[in-house]
């Protein structure tokens, strides 16, 4: 199963930083701050602790499936018809997730620096770029990711360190200002991001080495840091009340960056962070879909059977009122994403357990000398 195009564990970690990091760094922040406000960072901390045991479930599925491609492993276990239903459901959900990332990015572009550019043109250009990335290979995606991620990380530390001069960490207190209820309600948002670690089981056949629990733990801790950084930054820089009203808190933090008295307006650097993050996230998710559907490497099928459905899902989302889009994303999509990936992990575990018992019984029958023909 492991061929020339295999990627390393380090590449997987870097992909997690970009693909899931963008969601945790940007997408989940507005609804999380709106619900938990000052204590939103506690929601992230508690979610990390709660999600940690779930990582062992991913490791168990990964080990028992022998790193086979899901599209090859599932038919052996539940039959072709059942496997096709599951794979198509996963593909549709992933396309919807990618579409929400795409539209959110386009709304931000229109709101901040290209207000007079038609979104349809931006959508066409961005989809074309992402599909071109999908038509390459997973190895190409991880190489591109390594190059763009370096600058993203540097800029992230730059804004965090530069804004130390305006941060007031006393704004993080009092803890549990409104009790435990807001913190508990906010758990689902970081969990929605963390649960996307299951995506790496969908490309496990292209990973050189077996993923261990500490690999998943490292990715979880990195994602926790990527979530806590801008979250704590927004609270300590703007205060919990103002931060909860902002639509793009991570972007607003760039507006405070100044170097001395004369160097400011460095928020253009965030454009690179967000656009490259969306490029890699959407490209990777759509590549996973193409791999699940057996289209990886087939340029014509990808353009016809993936690019067009993706465009048709993006178009109605683009026509939605921005307020409705935010409500749909915050109240439904993020929660539904977590529930879907969690249920998917439970389903795969049950498949492993049920088929494992059948395999043991069949082996026992084969080894029984009295069961032979007379």
């Amino acid at each position: 199963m492991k061929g020339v195009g295999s990627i390393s564990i380090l590449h997987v970690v870097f992909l997690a930083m970009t693909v899931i990091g963008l969601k945790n760094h940007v997408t989940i922040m507005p609804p999380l701050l709106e619900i938990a406000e000052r204590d939103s960072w506690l929601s992230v901390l508690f979610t990390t602790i709660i999600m940690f045991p779930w990582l062992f479930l991913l490791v168990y599925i990964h080990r028992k499936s022998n790193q086979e491609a899901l599209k090859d492993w599932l038919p052996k276990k539940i039959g072709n018809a059942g496997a096709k239903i599951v794979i198509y459901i996963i593909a549709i959900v992933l396309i919807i997730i990618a579409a929400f990332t795409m539209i959110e990015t386009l709304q931000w572009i229109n709101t901040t620096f290209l207000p007079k550019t038609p979104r349809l043109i931006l959508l066409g250009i961005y989809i074309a770029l992402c599909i071109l990335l999908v038509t390459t290979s997973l190895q190409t995606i991880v190489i591109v990711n390594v190059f763009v991620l370096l600058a993203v990380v540097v800029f992230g530390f730059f804004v965090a360190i530069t804004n130390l001069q305006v941060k007031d960490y006393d704004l993080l207190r009092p803890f549990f200002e409104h009790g435990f209820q807001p913190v508990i309600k906010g758990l689902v948002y970081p969990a929605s991001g963390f649960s996307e670690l299951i995506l790496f089981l969908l490309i496990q056949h292209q990973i050189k080495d077996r993923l261990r629990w500490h690999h998943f733990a490292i990715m979880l801790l990195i994602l926790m840091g990527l979530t806590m950084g801008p979250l704590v930054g927004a609270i300590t820089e703007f205060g919990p009340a103002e931060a909860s009203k902002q639509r793009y808190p991570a972007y607003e933090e760039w507006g405070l960056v100044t170097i001395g008295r004369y160097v400011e307006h460095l928020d253009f650097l965030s454009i690179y962070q967000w656009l490259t993050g969306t490029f890699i996230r959407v490209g990777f998710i759509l590549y996973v879909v193409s791999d699940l559907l057996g289209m990886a490497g087939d340029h014509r099928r990808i353009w016809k059977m993936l690019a067009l459905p993706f465009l048709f899902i993006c178009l109605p989302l683009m026509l939605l009122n921005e307020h409705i889009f935010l409500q749909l994303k915050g109240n439904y999509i993020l929660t539904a994403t977590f529930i879907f990936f969690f249920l998917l992990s439970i389903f795969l575990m049950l498949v492993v357990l049920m088929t494992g018992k059948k395999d043991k019984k069949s082996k026992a029958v084969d080894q029984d000398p009295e069961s032979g023909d007379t």
Side-chain angles (χ1 to χ4, degrees):
M1 298 302 296
K2 302 171 189 175
V4 178
S6 297
I7 63 173
S8 69
I9 299 292
L10 187 60
H11 285 140
V12 174
V13 175
F14 288 158
L15 274 175
M17 291 174 65
T18 308
V19 174
I20 309 175
L22 176 75
K23 179 177 181 177
N24 282 30
H25 202 77
V26 174
T27 303
I28 72 169
M29 282 186 62
L32 179 55
L33 281 165
E34 185 179 352
I35 286 182
E37 293 190 354
R38 194 190 307 272
D39 292 324
S40 55
W41 65 277
L42 288 170
S43 294
V44 177
L45 182 62
F46 290 157
T47 304
T48 305
I49 297 170
I50 293 170
M51 292 287 288
F52 183 77
W54 178 72
L55 302 180
F56 292 92
L57 178 58
L58 298 184
V59 175
Y60 176 74
I61 297 167
H62 178 64
R63 181 167 57 87
K64 289 296 183 178
S65 59
N66 295 317
Q67 273 190 267
E68 283 190 75
L70 194 68
K71 65 178 183 293
D72 298 326
W73 178 73
L74 269 182
K76 298 177 188 175
K77 303 300 181 181
I78 62 174
N80 288 328
K84 284 184 178 180
I85 292 172
V86 173
I87 287 172
Y88 276 107
I89 290 174
I90 296 172
I92 291 169
V93 171
L94 291 182
I95 291 174
I96 292 172
I97 291 172
F100 268 85
T101 299
M102 176 69 76
I103 299 306
E104 183 178 33
T105 302
L106 295 183
Q107 287 182 352
W108 170 72
I109 292 172
N110 256 160
T111 302
T112 54
F113 60 95
L114 289 179
K116 295 184 179 180
T117 304
R119 283 187 194 170
L120 189 59
I121 294 176
L122 295 174
L123 180 64
I125 294 172
Y126 222 78
I127 286 180
L129 290 173
C130 290
I131 295 298
L132 283 173
L133 185 64
V134 175
T135 57
T136 56
S137 66
L138 183 60
Q139 198 171 34
T140 302
I141 293 174
V142 298
I143 291 172
V144 173
N145 180 56
V146 169
F147 280 105
V148 302
L149 182 62
L150 176 61
V152 169
V153 172
V154 170
F155 292 156
F157 279 108
F158 170 72
V159 67
I161 294 171
T162 307
N163 279 350
L164 283 174
Q165 57 189 332
V166 296
K167 291 180 180 179
D168 181 5
Y169 287 95
D170 287 337
L171 292 171
L172 294 174
R173 295 180 295 176
F175 305 143
F176 301 107
E177 181 180 19
H178 301 290
F180 284 93
Q181 190 174 5
V183 176
I184 300 301
K185 285 184 177 179
L187 294 178
V188 69
Y189 298 112
S192 177
F194 296 157
S195 64
E196 289 191 3
L197 285 171
I198 199 174
L199 290 175
F200 298 110
L201 295 187
L202 305 181
I203 59 160
Q204 61 181 4
H205 55 291
Q206 298 199 50
I207 302 174
K208 286 181 181 178
D209 302 309
R210 181 165 288 177
L211 288 165
R212 310 290 181 181
W213 72 268
H214 56 272
H215 297 141
F216 281 110
I218 289 170
M219 288 188 278
L220 182 65
L221 290 175
I222 290 173
L223 292 173
M224 182 191 74
L226 287 171
T227 313
M228 294 275 266
L231 200 57
V232 172
I235 296 169
T236 56
E237 291 167 23
F238 302 108
E242 177 62 28
S244 65
K245 298 174 184 176
Q246 292 175 346
R247 186 173 168 192
Y248 308 113
Y251 172 71
E252 300 296 340
E253 292 174 36
W254 276 95
L256 301 178
V257 175
T258 58
I259 303 176
R261 294 175 58 187
Y262 304 108
V263 181
E264 54 185 19
H265 299 299
L266 296 172
D267 49 347
F268 68 90
L269 296 175
S270 67
I271 297 172
Y272 172 86
Q273 283 186 307
W274 200 325
L275 293 187
T276 54
T278 299
F279 177 59
I280 298 296
R281 176 174 169 81
V282 173
F284 172 74
I285 291 175
L286 293 182
Y287 175 84
V288 173
V289 173
S290 72
D291 189 62
L292 280 173
L293 300 180
M295 295 188 292
D298 191 336
H299 297 191
R300 289 185 178 180
R301 288 185 66 198
I302 289 172
W303 280 103
K304 289 180 181 179
M305 301 177 65
L306 186 57
L308 288 177
F310 182 60
L311 174 63
F312 291 144
I313 291 176
C314 286
L315 284 174
L317 291 177
M318 188 173 63
L319 297 175
L320 285 177
N321 177 275
E322 292 187 11
H323 178 71
I324 296 175
F325 178 85
L326 288 173
Q327 291 295 316
L328 182 63
K329 182 195 73 173
N331 296 339
Y332 300 102
I333 293 300
L334 293 176
T335 304
T337 300
F338 165 68
I339 293 173
F340 175 78
F341 285 133
F342 182 76
L343 291 179
L344 177 61
S345 66
I346 298 297
F347 169 76
L348 293 176
M349 180 195 70
L350 292 175
V351 170
V352 168
L353 290 175
M354 292 172 64
T355 56
K357 289 180 180 179
K358 290 181 182 179
D359 292 341
K360 285 182 181 179
K361 286 182 180 179
S362 62
K363 285 182 181 179
V365 171
D366 292 340
Q367 292 174 0
D368 187 354
E370 296 182 1
S371 65
D373 296 332
T374 58

